[in-house]
């Protein structure tokens, strides 16, 4: 029977990270040694850790802990703390996030452009931080270390803070939108994260941060 560590390895790989080191380099909230300990079973996976990995890898924390078979306790799922003691794990709220096109994403970068997000179909997801969210379907391999083609990325339009190695949807003055990783010491600072040799985007004029990508997921 598959254990939590095996599901964690699967979630990390399906999120586009070939190794714990890759995940740690791309995601500032990941500690490589801690992730390795969780993946090899030397450290039990706690509720708090499952929630963090679920958020970063785009999976249900309950699936990481229980493979969908967690019982009910105090109105929610149950998990385990760092000592292995059983604790309540409340159910996660589901949010319907609008799926927009890349053209519409580019329009969000315009000062005078108003996009009515209620006009778009939605995708349900859980455990998103507070913000204003859109979802985009990834086309092409330029970010396949993190988001393989056909992945869905979740973008917080309210989070425009630039963080080294953070991933962002940006647009240029022509309204072209793209998804890239922020590397301030490189030129240009928005770079692909690909296993292929792909050049950085040719952007024109001033760059607008549309939002930060906080989750990437793909159906298998």
């Amino acid at each position: 029977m598959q254990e939590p560590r095996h599901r964690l390895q699967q979630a990390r790989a399906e999120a586009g990270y070939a190794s714990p080191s890759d995940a740690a380099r791309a995601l500032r909230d990941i500690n490589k040694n801690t992730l390795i300990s969780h993946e090899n079973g030397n450290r039990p996976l706690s509720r708090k850790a499952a929630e963090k990995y679920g958020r970063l890898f785009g999976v249900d924390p309950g699936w990481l802990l229980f493979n969908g078979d967690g019982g009910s306790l105090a109105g929610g799922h149950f998990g385990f703390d760092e000592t292995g003691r059983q604790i309540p794990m409340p159910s996660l709220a589901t949010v319907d996030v609008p799926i927009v096109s890349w053209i519409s994403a580019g329009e969000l970068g315009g000062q005078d452009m108003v996009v009515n997000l209620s006009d778009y179909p939605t995708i349900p997801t859980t455990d998103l931080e507070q913000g204003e969210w859109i979802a985009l379907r990834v086309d092409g391999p330029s970010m396949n270390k993190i988001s393989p083609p056909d992945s869905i990325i979740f973008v917080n339009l309210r989070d425009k803070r630039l963080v080294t190695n953070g991933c962002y949807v940006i647009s240029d003055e022509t309204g072209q939108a793209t998804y890239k990783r922020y590397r301030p010491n490189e030129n240009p600072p928005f770079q692909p994260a690909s296993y292929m040799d792909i050049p950085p985007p040719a952007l024109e004029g001033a760059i607008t941060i549309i939002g930060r990508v906080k989750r990437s997921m793909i159906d298998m």
Side-chain angles (χ1 to χ4, degrees), residues 23-214:
R25 281 192 293 268
L27 302 167
R28 64 188 180 94
D29 292 335
I30 289 284
N31 180 285
K32 181 183 72 173
N33 293 330
T34 301
L35 178 55
I36 290 173
S37 294
H38 282 140
E39 286 198 6
N40 63 25
N42 288 340
R43 179 182 295 189
L45 192 63
S46 68
R47 168 195 170 185
K48 184 176 180 180
E51 289 176 341
K52 180 174 77 171
Y53 292 135
R55 182 177 69 254
L56 295 174
F57 295 149
V59 297
D60 184 346
W63 175 78
L64 286 174
L65 288 169
F66 308 114
N67 196 24
D69 296 326
S72 295
L73 183 64
H77 293 293
F78 58 83
F80 300 90
D81 64 15
E82 294 285 358
T83 68
R85 180 173 58 87
Q86 194 177 89
I87 56 175
M89 185 174 177
S91 298
L92 299 174
T94 299
V95 178
D96 291 325
V97 177
I99 305 179
V100 308
S101 68
W102 283 98
I103 293 174
S104 296
E107 291 173 348
L108 289 168
Q111 292 278 340
D112 301 323
M113 181 63 67
V114 176
V115 176
N116 188 350
L117 296 178
S118 65
D119 291 339
Y120 292 89
T122 60
I123 180 171
T125 190
T126 60
D127 197 28
L128 291 177
E129 65 190 47
Q130 286 191 345
E132 184 178 5
W133 295 89
I134 61 170
L136 296 162
R137 191 175 295 276
V138 175
D139 181 20
S142 69
M143 291 291 288
N144 65 14
K145 284 186 177 180
I146 301 169
S147 305
D150 213 35
S151 298
I152 293 177
I153 55 174
F154 292 85
V155 186
N156 188 352
L157 303 179
R158 294 184 185 172
D159 189 350
K160 302 178 187 292
R161 298 166 299 137
L162 288 176
V163 176
T164 300
N165 288 326
C167 295
Y168 299 86
V169 173
I170 61 175
S171 69
D172 65 7
E173 289 184 349
T174 70
Q176 171 191 345
T178 187
Y179 165 39
K180 293 294 179 282
R181 185 165 61 180
Y182 180 61
R183 307 296 292 271
N185 295 326
E186 299 186 28
N187 186 23
F190 293 97
Q191 291 282 330
S194 177
Y195 294 110
M196 302 170 63
D197 186 13
I198 293 178
L203 300 170
E204 298 184 23
I207 305 303
T208 298
I209 309 299
I210 293 172
R212 185 174 176 184
V213 177
K214 300 300 292 287

